[in-house]
Amino acid sequence: MSISPQHKPLGKQVTSSLQMLSPIVELNVGGEMYTTTLSTLKKHPRSKLAEMFTGQPKLRTDSEGRFFIDRPGTYFKYILEYLRSNQVPTQCIQDVYREALFYDIEPLIKQLEDSPQIFGELVARKQFLARVPSYSENIELMIRIARAEAVASRRSSVIVCVVRTEEDAAKCQDALNSLDMDKKSVVKFGPWKASPSISDLLDCIQMDVEAKGYNISFQPHVAEKGFRFKSYDFFYKFLFTWW
């Protein structure tokens, strides 16, 4: 006996509008599957996540009718756990923080910013680097110089001049004038008015270049015999290893 259209089962694949009416929501987040409730997703009404499920459907569906969010699915479980139980994640903090920013879940953002990892990065390190003139531009300059010198080589090096005070900056300029090298190839960092030391800045440079995927190390630059300043007062060699 045939089934009349009005009694035909809906099956697994449902339309977006019908799924929105259901209190149970199936999600495909970057290939990871989740099942939760509509009220959980809309727990923080002013968040971008809640907005996705408010009013008319704003998301596409996959072949099984699940709502699709094109974000890393691995970290969505931590977002979901927070929405369900207010549990702040203790793993993958940096990654979860990026996702919390994307979904604009303000209470989670604030709690993550109080964690040692995010606090140290945003309040301590980033605030220090903001006081180092042209820091980001100099990082990019270092990479450009290193890449330009990497032709048919396993390694290339960049000379960096680091000065903490205006007085050191003047001495560094005198030293640069006596160096037998292309002055344009020396990248200068500083001076700055903050408590971190030169070694702290060197660690920051290495950390931020490595974050871009490069294999890098540094050491004091040893200048020629008879150089008027101790080379390690200002100059460091950053070594990029390509293979």
Side-chain angles (χ1 to χ4, degrees):
M1 183 178 68
S2 62
I3 300 175
S4 61
Q6 60 266 34
H7 295 106
K8 190 174 182 179
L10 288 174
K12 285 185 68 178
Q13 196 165 2
V14 296
T15 64
S16 298
S17 57
L18 285 175
Q19 195 171 11
M20 280 302 297
L21 295 175
S22 171
I24 307 301
V25 179
E26 292 187 352
L27 300 172
N28 176 347
V29 185
E32 298 282 341
M33 311 308 166
Y34 295 93
T35 302
T36 186
T37 65
L38 191 59
S39 60
T40 295
L41 296 170
K42 298 171 67 174
K43 183 174 181 179
H44 298 284
R46 290 186 291 181
S47 70
K48 182 177 178 180
L49 184 61
E51 183 184 330
M52 292 177 182
F53 296 92
T54 301
Q56 291 298 315
K58 301 175 179 65
L59 296 171
R60 294 174 293 173
T61 56
D62 66 10
S63 60
E64 296 295 320
R66 294 173 291 234
F67 287 109
F68 179 73
I69 302 176
D70 194 13
R71 295 294 296 181
T74 304
Y75 311 116
F76 189 74
K77 64 182 178 182
Y78 300 109
I79 299 292
L80 206 52
E81 187 59 35
Y82 176 76
L83 295 174
R84 287 169 172 162
S85 61
N86 290 323
Q87 182 176 326
V88 179
T90 57
Q91 303 177 54
C92 308
I93 300 297
Q94 298 280 359
D95 298 300
V96 176
Y97 179 66
R98 281 194 293 270
E99 296 309 296
L101 288 172
F102 173 78
Y103 294 114
D104 195 21
I105 304 172
E106 190 171 333
L108 177 56
I109 292 170
K110 289 182 177 179
Q111 290 184 69
L112 288 173
E113 286 179 348
D114 283 337
S115 69
Q117 299 94 322
I118 304 297
F119 179 87
E121 176 68 13
L122 294 181
V123 177
R125 200 176 82 92
K126 289 295 186 186
Q127 288 298 315
F128 158 54
L129 295 178
R131 302 184 185 190
V132 180
S134 304
Y135 177 80
S136 297
E137 293 85 348
N138 284 338
I139 293 290
E140 295 300 328
L141 178 58
M142 283 180 63
I143 292 171
R144 288 199 300 273
I145 293 172
R147 290 175 70 95
E149 295 182 357
V151 179
S153 300
R154 184 173 185 181
R155 297 180 180 86
S156 57
S157 61
V158 179
I159 304 301
V160 168
C161 174
V162 182
V163 292
R164 186 173 176 182
T165 66
E166 294 288 351
E167 180 182 357
D168 285 344
K171 291 179 181 178
C172 177
Q173 189 57 51
D174 288 343
L176 274 173
N177 292 335
S178 63
L179 273 176
D180 184 21
M181 67 169 63
D182 181 4
K183 309 302 183 297
K184 293 181 181 178
S185 68
V186 179
V187 182
K188 178 186 170 188
F189 287 86
W192 63 87
K193 294 181 179 179
S195 58
S197 65
I198 286 177
S199 64
D200 294 325
L201 181 65
L202 292 169
D203 287 341
C204 286
I205 294 171
Q206 181 174 14
M207 185 186 309
D208 288 330
V209 173
E210 287 179 338
K212 294 179 181 292
Y214 294 92
N215 183 356
I216 188 174
S217 61
F218 69 88
Q219 61 189 35
H221 176 58
V222 180
E224 306 84 12
K225 197 174 181 180
F227 188 58
R228 61 181 297 186
F229 294 102
K230 289 183 295 183
S231 59
Y232 52 80
D233 281 346
F234 308 113
F235 296 98
Y236 297 84
K237 178 186 288 186
F238 278 80
L239 191 66
F240 288 72
T241 301
W242 300 103
W243 50 274

